Amino acid sequence: MIRPFATATLIVLATTTPSHADGRVSFVADAGEAGRMTMTERWTDSAMRTDIDGMDAYMIMRNATVYSIISMSGQITVMDLGQIPEMPGAGAGQTPPQQQTGVVFPDTIESVEELDETREIAGIEGDVYEIEWVGNDGQTQTDAAVMTDAPRLLEHQTLKMRFIEAITGEAPNSLLVDLDARGLAALSFGDRFRVTAVGGDPGPAGDFRLPAAPMDLDNMMNPGLQ
């Protein structure tokens, strides 16, 4: 459960407006060694919830903090994912998570060329682009992507960028930064990402509340300081 959920977290870290309404986006994404994952992200105002098909686990972003909620053997565990990079040894001398899972993210964007073509995905018409990019593995690749300026997709993308910054304390990957600057959001990106449904219903308000108090990871890792 833990490793696939960590992979799903990385996939989420891989998708603009100043305010947010309600909505939901479902999509399929390449998860490297874990294969392909189907996820649904729902939001209301600035809160967003990510559910992964087939997993008894999900993530919630509230007040610029992202929590993972995992249920194992009836035990619910809530963790502040922003605390993990600050834990002793969390990054030192370890293989980057992307390499552990085989997930490749855009590191630099070489070119973005709009083609004279449109496609409809999940009921939304978008323009087709050809994007040349260099991944975090150092390899140069070219993919066709379908982009849109649909407000709900832009709202979703803005929240995803805040999600990334809340966990890592760093800017999102180059592709998201480039799309944000162009006022575009992806409906598909090669065979790595594809939106399958877009809607306006975020679901019950209770779905955005934490089911238990978050674990104090700092105290757990340093019990002698208490």
Side-chain angles (χ1 to χ4, degrees), residues 188-201:
S188 70
F189 186 75
D191 59 0
R192 301 168 181 273
F193 172 85
R194 185 180 181 89
V195 172
T196 57
V198 180
D201 178 18

Side-chain angles (χ1 to χ4, degrees), residues 151-201:
R152 187 157 282 138
L153 271 296
L154 291 174
E155 290 173 2
H156 176 242
Q157 181 168 269
T158 299
L159 287 166
K160 290 292 288 290
M161 295 178 75
R162 292 185 178 181
F163 185 105
I164 294 167
E165 293 172 355
I167 294 179
T168 67
E170 300 177 354
N173 67 58
S174 298
L175 179 61
L176 285 178
V177 173
D178 189 278
L179 293 181
D180 180 59
R182 296 170 185 268
L184 296 172
L187 284 165
S188 70
F189 186 75
D191 59 0
R192 301 168 181 273
F193 172 85
R194 185 180 181 89
V195 172
T196 57
V198 180
D201 178 18

Side-chain angles (χ1 to χ4, degrees), residues 20-51:
H20 308 287
D22 296 341
R24 67 167 64 213
V25 173
S26 297
F27 57 91
V28 178
D30 176 21
E33 295 175 3
R36 296 178 69 78
M37 289 187 173
T38 300
M39 305 182 191
T40 296
E41 293 190 313
R42 297 176 283 147
W43 65 93
T44 178
D45 294 324
S46 60
M48 184 172 72
R49 170 169 169 155
T50 301
D51 290 274

Side-chain angles (χ1 to χ4, degrees), residues 30-185:
D30 176 21
E33 295 175 3
R36 296 178 69 78
M37 289 187 173
T38 300
M39 305 182 191
T40 296
E41 293 190 313
R42 297 176 283 147
W43 65 93
T44 178
D45 294 324
S46 60
M48 184 172 72
R49 170 169 169 155
T50 301
D51 290 274
I52 306 99
D53 279 13
M55 292 189 187
D56 195 6
Y58 57 96
M59 289 172 278
I60 293 178
M61 178 172 68
R62 292 174 54 89
N63 301 320
T65 300
V66 179
Y67 303 92
S68 71
I69 297 90
I70 301 175
S71 178
M72 292 187 293
S73 302
Q75 180 75 27
I76 295 177
T77 300
V78 179
M79 291 187 291
D80 176 354
L81 294 179
Q83 284 190 305
I84 294 177
E86 300 175 358
M87 294 173 64
Q94 295 186 6
T95 304
Q98 297 95 326
Q99 295 181 21
Q100 294 177 20
T101 61
V103 178
V104 177
F105 294 106
D107 190 43
T108 58
I109 304 302
E110 298 294 302
S111 65
V112 178
E113 180 182 355
E114 184 175 359
L115 306 179
D116 188 17
E117 184 181 350
T118 61
R119 294 180 192 169
E120 184 177 300
I121 296 177
I124 298 174
E125 188 171 275
D127 295 314
V128 181
Y129 290 75
E130 186 175 81
I131 301 177
E132 183 178 353
W133 55 285
V134 179
N136 56 299
D137 59 353
Q139 301 297 310
T140 300
Q141 305 189 49
T142 301
D143 281 296
V146 180
M147 304 295 179
T148 180
D149 61 359
R152 187 157 282 138
L153 271 296
L154 291 174
E155 290 173 2
H156 176 242
Q157 181 168 269
T158 299
L159 287 166
K160 290 292 288 290
M161 295 178 75
R162 292 185 178 181
F163 185 105
I164 294 167
E165 293 172 355
I167 294 179
T168 67
E170 300 177 354
N173 67 58
S174 298
L175 179 61
L176 285 178
V177 173
D178 189 278
L179 293 181
D180 180 59
R182 296 170 185 268
L184 296 172

